[in-house]
């Protein structure tokens, strides 16, 4: 007859089974600890990223060995030493210099299987010559969220302590613009807004240039900043939004990708989106008629968050190492132009 297996016998068996499992787990943990002496993490091998040419300059910055440690990536070495091409774990090429032919791709010397990274923070409207770059790059570094190495122009992060004091406001809206052309959507919108809203225009376009150190204190005195992108593209949100508006402590009025894109980066109540209004006149009326409590709500994020500008190319290139273990090795952008200009 089969042992029904209930009562004390069954309970005992369960106990013995559980004790065995715990013992095995303890042994496994001991083995794990033993393989890392003193509990110190096993050092990871350094990843070497060769920057073929530094963006926009012939003089690359000094790149001491701990450059990426400052950005939280200690196992990353950035170099511009082209003699390391054969040994680099990845090579990154900034697009502008390829476009102007100031720098050339070392295609003949490329080691088999070496990942190459295409890097650019410019919008598709200002990016040319992609047609001849198909089938070369494995990974893309850009502000687009679907990039292999996603490097936005900025982000919000928690800040310790109280919010910094809000700058005193004396003006309605400011706009800094250097490239001003009637065919631009942002200029058309400005033309429609101007009759209904006091907008002070700074920058070369209006022969009121601002020195680098003067820009933020100047625009901070305004309630709103026109964070109008020069062209409208997927995910293209630049320092006009992050720096000139949010970091300055003024409320951005944005013209750019759809509201949902901005909401992926900042709280929905932290900006005014021009798409939410039927006309420039209606937008102007909203901005002018806003009371102080409503205005303050646009800046409420400052109580717990601060802007971190991500404008340093060193940090962007170090980000390649952070993503390195997770990126597909067999991927190639056969149609880079199709991907970026889509
Ligand atoms: C301020 O404006 C908001 C939204 O327009 C409104 O709900 C609120 O009652 C106003 N507050 C005062 C004090 O007028």
């Amino acid at each position: 007859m089969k042992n029904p297996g209930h009562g004390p016998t069954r309970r005992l068996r369960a106990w013995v089974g559980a004790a065995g499992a715990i013992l095995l787990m303890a042994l496994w943990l001991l083995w794990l600890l033993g393989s890392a002496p003193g509990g110190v993490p096993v050092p990871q091998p350094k990843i070497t990223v060769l920057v073929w040419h530094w963006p926009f300059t012939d003089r690359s910055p000094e790149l001491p060995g701990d450059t990426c440690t400052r950005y939280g990536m200690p196992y990353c070495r950035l170099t511009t030493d082209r003699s390391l091409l054969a040994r680099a774990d990845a090579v990154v090429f900034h697009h502008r210099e390829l476009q102007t032919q100031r720098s050339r791709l070392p295609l003949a010397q490329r080691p088999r299987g070496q990942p190459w990274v295409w890097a650019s923070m410019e919008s598709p409207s200002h990016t040319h010559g992609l047609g001849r770059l198909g089938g070369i790059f494995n990974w893309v570094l850009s502000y687009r969220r679907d990039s292999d190495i996603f490097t936005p122009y900025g982000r919000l992060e928690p800040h310790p302590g109280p919010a910094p004091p809000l700058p005193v406001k004396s003006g309605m809206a400011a706009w800094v613009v250097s490239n001003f052309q009637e065919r631009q959507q942002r200029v058309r919108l400005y033309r429609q807004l101007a009759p209904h809203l006091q907008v002070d225009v700074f920058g070369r376009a209006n022969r009121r240039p601002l020195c680098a150190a003067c820009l933020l204190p100047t625009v901070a005195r305004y309630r709103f900043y026109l964070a109008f992108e020069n062209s409208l593209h997927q995910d293209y949100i630049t320092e006009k939004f992050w720096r000139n508006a949010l970091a300055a402590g003024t409320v951005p009025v944005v013209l750019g990708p759809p509201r949902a894109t901005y909401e992926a980066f900042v709280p929905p109540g932290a900006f005014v989106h021009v798409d939410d209004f039927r006309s420039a006149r209606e937008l102007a009326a909203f901005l002018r008629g806003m009371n102080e409590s409503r205005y303050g709500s646009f800046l409420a994020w400052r109580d717990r968050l601060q802007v971190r500008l991500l404008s340093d190319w060193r940090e962007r290139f170090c980000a390649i190492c952070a993503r390195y273990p997770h990126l597909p090795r067999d991927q190639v952008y056969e149609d880079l132009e199709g991907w970026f200009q889509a």
Side-chain angles (χ1 to χ4, degrees), residues 286 289-294:
F286 176 76
M290 195 180 291
N291 63 31
E292 286 317 299
S293 66
R294 182 78 183 93

Side-chain angles (χ1 to χ4, degrees), residues 56-225:
F56 305 113
T57 175
D58 289 326
R59 293 173 50 99
S60 80
E62 292 291 314
L63 297 171
D66 66 346
T67 298
C68 293
T69 306
R70 278 184 275 158
Y71 303 116
M73 282 159 273
Y75 303 115
C76 189
R77 175 167 66 141
L78 284 193
T79 179
T80 52
D81 180 355
R82 290 186 175 187
S83 73
L84 295 176
L85 175 62
R87 288 192 278 139
D89 296 295
V91 187
V92 58
F93 300 88
H94 182 253
H95 179 70
R96 176 61 62 86
E97 290 73 21
L98 300 177
Q99 174 180 310
T100 57
Q101 310 266 334
R102 272 181 59 219
S103 182
R104 285 169 196 280
L105 295 169
L107 285 165
Q109 293 87 45
R110 181 179 191 172
R112 182 182 288 274
Q114 182 179 62
W116 278 13
V117 186
W118 179 85
S120 181
M121 295 294 283
E122 305 300 309
S123 80
S125 296
H126 295 97
T127 303
H128 307 289
L130 285 180
R132 22 177 206 91
L133 297 179
I136 294 172
F137 296 101
N138 308 94
W139 303 331
V140 156
L141 180 157
S142 87
Y143 60 83
R144 277 246 309 248
R145 281 177 290 169
D146 57 352
S147 302
D148 303 286
I149 300 110
F150 166 48
T151 53
Y153 277 85
R155 64 164 178 257
L156 294 184
E157 58 183 25
H159 74 73
L166 195 63
V168 174
K169 304 294 177 186
S170 54
M172 182 56 81
W175 188 28
V176 178
V177 57
S178 49
N179 174 19
F180 185 98
Q181 291 171 47
E182 296 298 337
R183 60 177 170 76
Q184 293 171 343
Q185 193 167 340
R186 61 179 181 180
V187 169
R188 292 202 298 269
L189 180 56
Y190 163 73
R191 293 278 187 224
Q192 293 164 1
L193 265 179
H196 310 289
L197 189 77
Q198 176 62 46
V199 180
D200 286 359
V201 182
F202 299 93
R204 271 185 283 137
N206 204 25
R207 286 188 291 266
R208 286 172 82 186
L210 289 172
C211 76
C214 318
L215 192 143
L216 290 195
T218 303
V219 302
R221 296 199 305 265
Y222 291 83
R223 290 164 72 80
F224 302 100
Y225 182 82

Side-chain angles (χ1 to χ4, degrees), residues 20 102 129-130 144 162 175 243 246 288 291 300 310 321 333:
R102 272 181 59 219
L130 285 180
R144 277 246 309 248
W175 188 28
R243 179 171 177 272
L246 294 184
R288 278 202 326 265
N291 63 31
L310 303 168
C321 293
Y333 282 81

